């Protein structure tokens, strides 16, 4: 669908007043990064988002939006909050340029947004802008600029939720390569939590949960003794995602 057709007839395909905003998180060079899009014409940044087709569930819509922005088919995503403050789209008119979206367009409606976060492996993502944006890039979470609407608050809530979930559910399958070392896994957790962790205590807890498989190979090329490589036991990992674990970080 072209932009002009989307503006004029989008309400025939999508639900009015409901949108989805996605916090797409990747881990690269020991940095936690979030995918951002650059809004056309005014150059401001935003989170990836989209709308719910009339015959789609929220999860199906979120999966479609994430696939379109990342190129990935198999995604881990989690609904984390609904944002409905009447003032959340303050200054909305500056983003809906009159030349393209004249008054009366469904895009001027008030939208309640459902937030999802997705954990993806950075190297597998091919960032793609959408109809309303012309750039899509990764940004370190510590360097995120002022975003449109309430998108900074949405990002903060997603990170808060992710950090809280670390106490009950495993993380890493979608953020690390298939084979990784224990120090690499620990650095991932430290980056998400934004705090250092005790090495021995971390390793003891992670091994006790039985979701890791230690391989016979070691990682080579380092200055110190080569650490063993690990991989997640996918069945046990997915079971832990459903039933939960008490990490206690």
């Amino acid at each position: 669908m072209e932009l002009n057709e989307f503006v004029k007839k989008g309400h025939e395909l999508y639900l009015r007043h409901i949108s989805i905003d996605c916090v797409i998180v990747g881990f690269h060079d020991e940095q936690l990064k979030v995918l951002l899009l650059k809004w056309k014409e005014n150059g401001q940044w935003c989170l990836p988002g989209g709308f719910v087709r009339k015959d789609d569930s929220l999860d199906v819509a979120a999966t479609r939006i994430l696939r379109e922005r990342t190129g990935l088919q198999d995604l881990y995503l989690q609904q984390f909050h609904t944002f409905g403050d009447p003032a959340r789209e303050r200054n909305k008119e500056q983003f809906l340029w009159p030349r393209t979206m004249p008054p009366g367009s469904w895009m001027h409606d008030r939208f309640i947004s459902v937030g999802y976060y997705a954990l993806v492996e950075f190297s597998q993502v091919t960032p793609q802008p959408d109809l309303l944006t012309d750039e899509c890039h990764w940004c370190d979470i510590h360097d995120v600029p002022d975003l449109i609407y309430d998108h900074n608050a949405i990002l903060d809530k997603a990170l808060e939720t992710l950090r809280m979930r670390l106490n009950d559910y495993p993380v890493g399958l979608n953020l690390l390569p298939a084979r990784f070392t224990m120090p690499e896994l620990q650095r991932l957790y430290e980056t998400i939590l934004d705090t250092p962790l005790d090495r021995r205590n971390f390793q003891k807890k992670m091994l006790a949960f039985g979701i890791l498989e230690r391989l016979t190979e070691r990682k080579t090329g380092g200055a110190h003794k080569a650490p063993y490589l690990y991989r997640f036991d996918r069945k046990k990992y997915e079971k832990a995602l459903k039933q939960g674990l008490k990490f206690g970080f």
Side-chain angles (χ1 to χ4, degrees):
M1 182 180 292
E2 297 295 329
L3 179 57
N4 288 338
E5 184 182 6
F6 172 77
V7 172
K8 293 178 181 179
K9 299 183 178 181
H11 63 281
E12 298 176 2
L13 178 63
Y14 300 100
L15 295 176
R16 300 179 75 123
H17 305 291
I18 299 177
S19 62
I20 289 177
D21 284 307
C22 302
V23 177
I24 303 175
V25 177
F27 185 65
H28 181 64
D29 289 341
E30 299 186 17
Q31 295 177 343
L32 205 63
K33 298 187 177 183
V34 61
L35 204 61
L36 299 179
L37 290 89
K38 192 174 184 179
W39 202 262
K40 287 182 177 178
E41 298 201 19
N42 68 13
Q44 290 191 259
W45 294 90
C46 64
L47 294 170
F51 303 94
V52 183
R53 291 174 181 164
K54 291 184 177 180
D55 57 350
D56 280 349
S57 68
L58 289 174
D59 286 354
V60 167
T63 300
R64 169 178 49 81
I65 293 165
L66 290 164
R67 182 177 64 249
E68 290 171 352
R69 300 289 72 76
T70 65
L72 299 180
Q73 297 289 336
D74 186 17
L75 288 165
Y76 171 78
L77 67 141
Q78 181 72 35
Q79 185 182 136
F80 66 93
H81 196 72
T82 300
F83 300 86
D85 190 321
R88 63 172 300 268
E89 296 176 305
R90 56 191 177 280
N91 303 321
K92 185 173 184 175
E93 300 306 314
Q94 66 178 292
F95 305 106
L96 304 182
W97 45 97
R99 179 170 59 83
T100 307
M101 300 180 191
S105 165
W106 69 290
M107 294 295 293
H108 289 265
D109 290 349
R110 172 193 169 188
F111 281 87
I112 292 172
S113 186
V114 181
Y116 282 81
Y117 70 76
L119 307 179
V120 301
E121 187 175 338
F122 180 92
S123 63
Q124 296 182 359
V125 172
T126 304
Q128 295 291 332
D130 58 23
L131 283 176
L132 304 178
T133 60
D134 53 18
E135 293 183 33
C136 186
H137 300 295
W138 289 104
C139 180
D140 188 292
I141 60 168
H142 297 294
D143 299 323
V144 173
D146 289 335
L147 306 177
I148 69 170
Y149 305 153
D150 59 346
H151 286 200
N152 288 95
I154 293 175
L155 173 58
D156 289 343
K157 185 65 176 180
L159 293 174
E160 174 190 334
T161 304
L162 175 58
R163 287 164 180 156
M164 290 179 64
R165 281 181 62 87
L166 284 186
N167 287 318
D168 301 287
Y169 300 94
V171 165
L173 183 62
N174 303 86
L175 292 172
L176 292 171
R179 303 190 307 169
F180 52 87
T181 66
M182 188 65 70
E184 288 171 338
L185 180 60
Q186 181 172 336
R187 283 194 289 272
L188 169 63
Y189 273 75
E190 290 176 333
T191 302
I192 295 174
L193 294 168
D194 203 19
T195 188
L197 300 171
D198 179 77
R199 180 182 62 84
R200 292 184 179 180
N201 190 41
F202 177 84
Q203 180 169 322
K204 181 179 178 181
K205 288 183 177 181
M206 291 303 302
L207 293 177
F209 293 127
I211 60 174
L212 294 177
E213 179 185 353
R214 193 175 83 170
L215 307 178
T216 57
E217 305 101 309
R218 294 176 181 264
K219 184 172 184 178
T220 58
H224 304 286
K225 182 179 178 181
Y228 279 104
L229 289 168
Y230 290 83
R231 65 185 174 197
F232 288 107
D233 184 311
R234 183 174 287 271
K235 289 185 177 180
K236 293 181 180 179
Y237 187 98
E238 292 177 351
K239 181 179 179 181
L241 282 178
K242 295 178 180 179
Q243 298 183 352
L245 294 170
K246 275 296 178 183
F247 280 73
F249 290 120

